[in-house]
Amino acid sequence: MKRTWTIIGVSDVAGSFKWYQSLFGQPETPPGHDDFGQILDTDGTVLLCLHQWGAHEHPSLMSPDEASPGNGLLLFFRVDDFDMALKRARALVARFEEEPHVNPNTQTREFSLRDPDGYYVAISALPAPQRKGPARRRPKKRLRPTKARRRIRKSREKRTRLRG
């Protein structure tokens, strides 16, 4: 499997790290470095990387003055605890970019807000698992002996009598 690491330039790695951990309901921990941090899921999957503007001389992460942060980028996260994420998000920002609604394309609830650096962040509910109708139980029937099984059984009985 291949995975993408989305890396965004931020002005304060520790502050943004804390903000995203709060949004996702994760325990507060410090980033791995002063100029770089990875927001991880409980299974270790990288959800988002935060990179200090200008550190390490990456051409596209030199300065927010070169282009507006988030131009052409939408951070879109699917969560399994939508109602709790909504509650946490309301505690983080004064207003949403988009209030909670059902996305007509995905048919799931979502809302959008801006992070401390101005990035547009959309939070969407994971869809409920789809069932294809009621589960059917197989009747508990004993298999009837087929002609082949009867022949095998008789053959075994015959061998035992001959040995015995």
Side-chain angles (χ1 to χ4, degrees):
M1 173 178 280
K2 294 175 176 52
R3 300 200 184 250
T4 300
W5 283 11
T6 301
I7 303 173
I8 60 173
V10 298
S11 58
D12 175 14
V13 172
S16 291
F17 203 77
K18 182 178 178 179
W19 190 89
Y20 277 100
Q21 286 177 326
S22 295
L23 178 63
F24 296 138
Q26 297 173 328
E28 189 177 318
T29 60
H33 306 277
D34 291 338
D35 56 10
F36 185 79
Q38 293 178 322
I39 303 293
L40 305 175
D41 202 351
T42 54
D43 65 358
T45 301
V46 175
L47 299 174
L48 183 65
C49 299
L50 307 171
H51 195 287
Q52 180 74 41
W53 284 113
H56 308 124
E57 300 181 14
H58 297 299
S60 60
L61 294 171
M62 289 308 293
S63 168
D65 301 327
E66 309 267 328
S68 23
N71 185 24
L73 175 69
L74 168 63
L75 297 172
F76 188 89
F77 296 98
R78 306 293 301 262
V79 298
D80 54 5
D81 63 342
F82 183 84
D83 291 325
M84 289 304 297
L86 177 60
K87 189 175 184 178
R88 292 187 301 264
R90 288 206 190 278
L92 288 171
V93 297
R95 72 175 191 83
F96 284 170
E97 293 294 313
E98 285 186 283
E99 286 293 325
H101 64 283
V102 174
N103 180 321
N105 298 316
T106 63
Q107 294 299 305
T108 55
R109 295 170 55 205
E110 68 180 48
F111 63 89
S112 301
L113 65 161
R114 296 275 179 172
D115 82 353
D117 286 277
Y119 290 99
Y120 194 90
V121 179
I123 303 295
S124 176
L126 279 172
Q130 299 293 318
R131 291 191 76 190
K132 294 183 179 179
R136 292 190 302 157
R137 294 181 58 110
R138 294 183 70 182
K140 292 184 179 180
K141 287 185 180 177
R142 269 189 87 156
L143 293 175
R144 288 191 167 149
T146 62
K147 288 181 184 178
R149 283 194 195 112
R150 269 188 243 136
R151 280 195 303 267
I152 292 169
R153 191 177 66 234
K154 284 182 183 178
S155 163
R156 285 182 186 153
E157 288 170 1
K158 205 182 237 183
R159 272 186 261 153
T160 336
R161 278 185 286 177
L162 291 175
R163 287 184 199 155

